[in-house]
Amino acid sequence: MTYFKLLIIVFGSLLMVSCKQEKASEKTEQATSEKPNIIFIMSDDHAYQAISAYDKTLIHTPNIDRIANEGMLFTNATVTNSICAPSRAVILTGKHSHINGKIDNLSEFDTTNVTFPQILQKAGYQTAMFGKLHFGNNPKGFDEFKILPGQGEYYNPKFITQKGDTIIEGYVTDITTDLTLDWMKNRRDPNKPFMLMYLHKAPHRAWLPSEKYYKEYTQKTFPLPETLFDDYKTRGTAAKTAEMGILKHMSLINDNKLTPETVKELGIEQWSQLGESLYGMTVEQRASWDAVYGPINEDFKKRYPTMNDSTLTVWKYQRYLQDYLGTIASVDDNVGRVLDYLDDENLADNTIVIYTSDQGFYLGEHGWFDKRFMYNESFKTPLLIKWPNKIRPGITEDEMVQNLDFAQTFLEVAGVTAPKDMQGESLVPLLTGNKAVWDRDAVYYHYYEYPAEHAVKRHYGIATKDYKIIHFYHDVNEWELYDRKKDPREINNVINDPKYAKVVAEMKQKLQETREKYKDSESLDKKYIDQYNK
């Protein structure tokens, strides 16, 4: 071969490689210029401490953790109102409860509110919702939906659809995922970007795991939280009178899965609601359940005569976590199914995936279950986001963000201008490494549902990275201040500590300014008290 021929071959090869690289670059540019798909995954009452990306003490959640490993984990994500339906209304509208009007689970949702799915739908997104909405049976802005009525059931649940109601046999977490994947495979328009809300009932009370996981998790024992026997000695009336204590208020029947017959035999006074999820089981499902929970009942009968308050609290705590965490194991499995589908269908690179909960939850901290308070375990919420080519994988972010911010984030991701009356801030600067423009130093919280179940008093407050101040009002007038850095478990209320006098004054002033910023006021407090009393 002559030198001239060899030169031609080499030059031709380089030209072919260059053309291939140019085409690959064009393809990448085209992919990144397309509007991204949005998948919003939300569970109900999923405590951040029950996700191993946050804390490996209680459970391993490898699939949810994948979102953090491939994206960003937020350690200071919070809610504006820690109760199910109001939290969801805030997410949909991008407005605080006192503005969108959905202040508690009892009030009606004002359907004249404009939601971000409506805006995305008008902007050309295909939209779908599957799972638990919690309020309203005809959500606006969705091309297709299949939603649970109210709380929904764990076993053989009913779904509301645009074509009528239908009961689907099986376990709700699996079914919700089946419906989601069915839509993605068979009715998603590949020529349109999509916004999908994939919403789990679990791990909402009364925590019925699938057969696979109640067989496994009822054999587990979990470490006790340090504050399980909190005496609230530095707090005021609110913490001491709340009715969400594991010992006194957790039902042996509904929550711990003893039978009414067991409780009656032991002479224990207990409300006896067992829940439609058990009564609605098939014969085969109930037989499998009884084969596991029957021996638990028999074991309790032997233990109970020698139990005191401490040992009964520990027994109830273990039973609670076995079932609660068992439901989360199914959520994690099913999140993995969705993530695998995105990878297998080459959709992952142009899809932003968000995992969160409608609020946090108490897993025995301060002796409690449930939520509602502005204390960390219910105020903070899990938030994990992955967005390939935009978020650098494996990032942890500690900025103060809220569920108030989701609507504006999704609109900016889609290239749509958000309405001026939305009150959140887009998270896109944090997601894309432009943190310098983020200037929020405090977040606002307001809880309204009192007097009501769990008896958590009305309160509002703000939190910064360093401090949290809370004002309980209505039938009390009490203040609490916590040093978040020195007292992360929020044991010591320092509102009356002279060392914090300057901090108290500054935080009260900042609280007033924040209330004005978000257009909240004493007159609105009174309005919603009067509305509730009617």
Side-chain angles (χ1 to χ4, degrees):
M1 182 181 294
T2 66
Y3 174 78
F4 180 70
K5 287 183 178 180
L6 181 62
L7 189 64
I8 291 175
I9 291 171
V10 171
F11 179 76
S13 298
L14 291 172
L15 186 63
M16 289 177 65
V17 170
S18 176
C19 289
K20 287 180 180 179
Q21 289 176 337
E22 186 175 343
K23 288 180 180 179
S25 176
E26 288 175 358
K27 185 177 180 182
T28 301
E29 288 177 9
Q30 183 179 7
T32 55
S33 67
E34 294 174 355
K35 288 187 175 183
N37 306 308
I38 301 167
I39 297 183
F40 180 71
I41 310 172
M42 185 165 70
S43 50
D44 194 306
D45 294 344
H46 192 170
Y48 63 88
Q49 60 272 37
I51 295 176
S52 50
Y54 286 97
D55 190 333
K56 295 178 171 58
T57 303
L58 297 176
I59 191 172
H60 181 46
T61 52
N63 294 298
I64 297 172
D65 290 0
R66 280 168 61 183
I67 301 172
N69 295 336
E70 297 174 19
M72 184 174 288
L73 178 79
F74 287 83
T75 58
N76 253 329
T78 63
V79 297
T80 64
N81 185 353
S82 183
I83 188 168
C84 298
S87 177
R88 293 158 191 267
V90 168
I91 289 169
L92 287 170
T93 64
K95 300 175 185 178
H96 276 278
S97 300
H98 62 273
I99 299 295
N100 68 51
K102 184 64 177 167
I103 61 167
D104 52 36
N105 279 340
L106 308 175
S107 57
E108 293 292 326
F109 178 68
D110 182 357
T111 57
T112 64
N113 279 301
V114 176
T115 64
F116 80 82
Q118 290 174 272
I119 299 171
L120 288 178
Q121 189 182 49
K122 288 181 181 178
Y125 269 72
Q126 188 179 15
T127 57
M129 174 189 283
F130 301 99
K132 180 179 177 179
L133 173 61
H134 191 100
F135 64 88
N137 294 339
N138 188 25
K140 292 183 178 180
F142 293 95
D143 298 311
E144 182 176 331
F145 63 80
K146 291 183 175 67
I147 58 175
L148 298 163
Q151 295 291 356
E153 298 295 341
Y154 275 103
Y155 281 85
N156 311 323
K158 180 168 74 173
F159 282 85
I160 299 167
T161 80
Q162 285 128 316
K163 297 179 181 179
D165 297 353
T166 180
I167 294 176
I168 304 176
E169 186 173 318
Y171 187 66
V172 67
T173 306
D174 300 332
I175 295 168
T176 300
T177 309
D178 292 342
L179 296 174
T180 299
L181 291 174
D182 175 62
W183 179 82
M184 293 183 73
K185 293 174 182 177
N186 299 314
R187 289 181 301 289
R188 179 180 63 85
D189 184 346
N191 298 311
K192 284 186 175 183
F194 66 85
M195 191 287 294
L196 169 65
M197 299 190 79
Y198 166 48
L199 310 175
H200 285 291
K201 169 184 172 59
H204 193 277
R205 192 182 188 189
W207 318 300
L208 273 65
S210 66
E211 180 177 354
K212 173 183 177 182
Y213 285 116
Y214 65 65
K215 287 182 175 178
E216 176 182 345
Y217 274 74
T218 52
Q219 304 303 311
K220 292 179 179 286
T221 301
F222 301 97
L224 305 182
E226 291 184 24
T227 59
L228 180 62
F229 296 103
D230 193 347
D231 60 8
Y232 322 118
K233 64 181 179 181
T234 71
R235 303 175 194 265
T237 307
K240 295 172 183 175
T241 59
E243 297 175 357
M244 45 197 265
I246 287 176
L247 176 62
K248 293 183 178 180
H249 307 112
M250 178 171 278
S251 168
L252 286 166
I253 298 173
N254 189 59
D255 300 324
N256 296 139
K257 313 306 187 305
L258 296 183
T259 66
E261 292 77 17
T262 294
V263 171
K264 184 178 180 180
E265 180 180 333
L266 294 172
I268 304 170
E269 292 186 8
Q270 189 85 174
W271 60 289
S272 60
Q273 178 184 346
L274 194 56
E276 293 179 9
S277 288
L278 286 186
Y279 294 128
M281 285 181 173
T282 65
V283 173
E284 292 80 7
Q285 289 168 343
R286 186 60 189 268
S288 296
W289 178 275
D290 288 344
V292 172
Y293 287 86
I296 290 173
N297 275 256
E298 294 304 314
D299 179 68
F300 183 78
K301 290 179 186 179
K302 296 175 184 177
R303 292 172 180 263
Y304 182 71
T306 61
M307 284 182 171
N308 57 33
D309 284 353
S310 294
T311 54
L312 180 56
T313 298
V314 171
W315 184 90
K316 295 178 78 172
Y317 165 80
Q318 295 294 345
R319 277 275 48 256
Y320 164 37
L321 258 65
Q322 288 168 355
D323 290 342
Y324 177 91
L325 296 172
T327 69
I328 289 173
S330 288
V331 172
D332 187 71
D333 284 349
N334 281 280
V335 167
R337 291 173 62 196
V338 172
L339 295 179
D340 287 346
Y341 178 81
L342 295 176
D343 289 340
D344 293 345
E345 298 299 318
N346 297 316
L347 289 168
D349 282 350
N350 196 39
T351 300
I352 180 170
V353 178
I354 300 92
Y355 185 90
T356 190
S357 178
D358 49 358
Q359 62 263 318
F361 214 67
Y362 294 98
L363 303 184
E365 299 89 0
H366 309 295
W368 291 332
F369 66 101
D370 206 70
K371 56 243 182 185
R372 301 166 199 264
F373 275 114
M374 196 187 171
Y375 306 132
N376 274 344
E377 289 80 9
S378 53
F379 175 53
K380 293 176 69 173
T381 191
L383 180 59
L384 308 85
I385 304 177
K386 79 181 189 79
W387 190 8
N389 306 311
K390 296 289 186 180
I391 298 176
R392 189 158 56 90
I395 297 294
T396 298
E397 179 56 73
D398 70 346
E399 289 298 328
M400 304 291 296
V401 304
Q402 287 196 293
N403 57 353
L404 182 71
D405 302 325
F406 293 158
Q408 281 160 278
T409 301
F410 301 149
L411 294 177
E412 182 170 348
V413 163
V416 179
T417 301
K420 292 182 179 179
D421 60 351
M422 283 187 173
Q423 296 181 299
E425 298 180 32
S426 170
L427 302 179
V428 169
L430 296 178
L431 300 177
T432 56
N434 192 17
K435 188 172 179 176
V437 303
W438 187 265
D439 62 356
R440 179 189 283 160
D441 61 356
V443 290
Y444 182 59
Y445 180 90
H446 199 153
Y447 175 79
Y448 299 85
E449 193 172 299
Y450 177 84
E453 184 179 6
H454 296 301
V456 174
K457 295 186 181 296
R458 295 178 184 233
H459 59 289
Y460 57 82
I462 58 167
T464 67
K465 288 183 180 179
D466 295 324
Y467 301 103
K468 180 185 295 181
I469 192 165
I470 307 171
H471 180 215
F472 293 94
Y473 69 99
H474 181 232
D475 61 343
V476 294
N477 181 20
E478 298 177 349
W479 291 84
E480 296 180 1
L481 177 75
Y482 296 94
D483 187 324
R484 301 187 73 201
K485 295 288 179 64
K486 294 181 179 179
D487 180 25
R489 291 182 177 81
E490 297 174 323
I491 297 296
N492 299 308
N493 170 25
V494 294
I495 196 74
N496 295 317
D497 187 334
K499 295 177 184 177
Y500 287 88
K502 184 179 178 181
V503 174
V504 170
E506 291 173 348
M507 288 294 286
K508 283 188 175 182
Q509 177 63 30
K510 191 168 191 63
L511 173 58
Q512 183 57 37
E513 293 170 356
T514 305
R515 277 177 50 94
E516 291 172 2
K517 172 185 175 181
Y518 290 120
K519 301 178 182 179
D520 203 2
S521 63
E522 289 185 7
S523 61
L524 278 177
D525 298 345
K526 185 178 184 303
K527 169 190 170 181
Y528 286 125
I529 290 171
D530 292 342
Q531 174 182 303
Y532 191 88
N533 290 337
K534 291 179 181 178

